[in-house]
Amino acid sequence: MGDGNDFIRWLGRDMSIKILMCLEDPSDLVRVSTVSRLWRQFVIENGLSKQLCLRMLPEMSSLAGAIEINNMIETEEVQSNNMERKILEKNHRVYAYLAQGLTSSMRTACIARAISASSTDNYPEETIDNTLDPRDRIRHSASYWSSEGEMDPSIPESLVYKLIANLCVVTEIHVQPFQAYFQFGHPIYSAKAVRFRMGHQMYPMERGGDAANDPAAGFDSLEDQYIWTYTSPEFPMAQENRLQKFKLPEPALCIGGILQIELLGRVQKQEMDGLYYICVSHVQVVGRPLSEAFDVEIHDPSGKFTLKYFHRGYQCQSPVVAPEGLGADTASWMQSDARSIEQIIERFLGAAAEDDSDDDYLPTF
């Protein structure tokens, strides 16, 4: 089929873009770029891989105009047509990898560790760390986090966690309220509603210098420490002793690896002191860390960031962290998964890049 009979030439640029952007699977767009030299040039020059990423993840709109590849920053300024072509090809490859990573299977072990709670009643017995332990009892004692008591049931609480990577796609958060079986009537200290926020630290914290073990960390101080790039709608929470699953309206990209669970409103008063409490026994996050080949660098409090892509052979500065209690298996899984994603896409992109002929082609695999 010659270029004169190609439907991209028939339909024109705008209509062809609309048709190709109807594709939902990023791997299909990669395959499109291997049909012919004309199609590959069309996909690259119009930045369709980037457009697909922005459509799938609106949080990427804060992306600054530079991408780090192989520890070299390529800016949007170009010196010549050849340089412009190289930058477009590199951007296509990076966003193709990124988009492919968004469609892989999800996991429930996406929390690396607890950072802080807005308040803790009895520290360390009722620390936030207990919410990551799958057991209900530890050494014959109940395992849960408890807030401090309040006279006003409208006062909120919050729990902050570090995810296993700086770039994670999150689909669901699971929260289980705690039932105090040792109190009269077995009360359940749930919240009225929950809301989830994701983002990054406003200022880098020194190693070991976070508030994970600071019971005095207040709600206002948490607001000062983080910039939130995503906020979910509110979800009602049932006053039931079960793992309650809250599915986000759309998969959300956490840029910076910080997740906050807002517990809005109190429903249960403790009989012995007449104060309202919120208690949580378990927290889980369903999602997927992106390939270890990707990382982010936050530029300033405005939220602008640089997407870093480390090609094979270069070590990402912020590798995936295995969740506590799961050992190194999760990190090993991520490494092997990242390799498989790169191999699949490189097989398609490499076939197109190595073909120097002017003829249309359809690679076979």
Side-chain angles (χ1 to χ4, degrees), residues 64-236:
I67 297 175
E68 185 171 295
I69 304 175
N70 291 353
N71 295 331
M72 298 289 291
I73 294 181
E74 302 284 356
T75 66
E76 289 185 342
E77 298 179 358
V78 295
Q79 302 294 329
S80 64
N81 291 335
N82 185 47
M83 179 63 71
E84 181 179 8
R85 174 71 180 181
K86 289 182 178 180
I87 292 176
L88 289 172
E89 289 179 347
K90 287 183 178 180
N91 286 349
H92 171 63
R93 182 166 57 250
V94 169
Y95 284 107
Y97 284 135
L98 180 61
Q100 179 70 19
L102 304 179
T103 59
S104 300
S105 60
M106 297 297 172
R107 298 176 63 86
T108 57
C110 285
I111 299 179
R113 59 185 175 87
I115 294 180
S116 61
S118 51
S119 73
T120 301
D121 189 31
N122 296 305
Y123 184 85
E125 290 80 8
E126 297 173 342
T127 174
I128 181 179
D129 294 331
N130 293 338
T131 63
L132 301 183
D133 197 306
R135 297 171 293 179
D136 293 325
R137 298 173 63 87
I138 301 177
R139 297 188 184 91
H140 307 292
S141 297
S143 175
Y144 63 97
W145 162 82
S146 175
S147 72
E148 294 179 342
E150 297 286 352
M151 291 290 295
D152 184 358
S154 66
I155 294 178
E157 296 285 348
S158 63
L159 305 175
V160 180
Y161 299 90
K162 180 70 176 74
L163 302 183
I164 61 177
N166 285 336
L167 286 171
C168 283
V169 178
V170 177
T171 58
E172 296 180 19
I173 295 95
H174 304 165
V175 182
Q176 181 169 342
F178 174 67
Q179 182 172 22
Y181 58 85
F182 47 81
Q183 294 183 358
F184 177 77
H186 302 171
I188 300 175
Y189 291 93
S190 68
K192 286 185 178 179
V194 292
R195 183 170 56 204
F196 310 106
R197 298 201 285 184
M198 304 179 209
H200 56 85
Q201 294 175 331
M202 181 177 295
Y203 305 106
M205 288 195 258
E206 296 180 0
R207 183 177 179 87
D210 59 31
N213 295 314
D214 181 8
F219 188 80
D220 290 337
S221 66
L222 290 179
E223 295 301 306
D224 295 337
Q225 290 179 22
Y226 304 104
I227 292 178
W228 307 113
T229 58
Y230 171 84
T231 301
S232 77
E234 291 186 17
F235 299 90

Side-chain angles (χ1 to χ4, degrees), residues 3 6 8 20 29-49 85-86 88-94 96 345-357 359-361 363:
D3 287 350
D6 193 287
I8 286 182
L20 293 178
L29 189 58
V30 174
R31 294 185 180 97
V32 165
S33 67
T34 68
V35 169
S36 69
R37 294 177 62 85
L38 174 65
W39 285 33
R40 180 171 185 268
Q41 180 180 358
F42 186 83
V43 170
I44 292 175
E45 291 183 350
N46 291 284
L48 298 189
S49 294
R85 174 71 180 181
K86 289 182 178 180
L88 289 172
E89 289 179 347
K90 287 183 178 180
N91 286 349
H92 171 63
R93 182 166 57 250
V94 169
I345 300 180
E346 282 186 350
R347 193 172 187 182
F348 282 107
L349 298 184
E354 294 173 1
D355 190 296
D356 295 328
S357 66
D359 299 330
D360 295 334
Y361 58 88

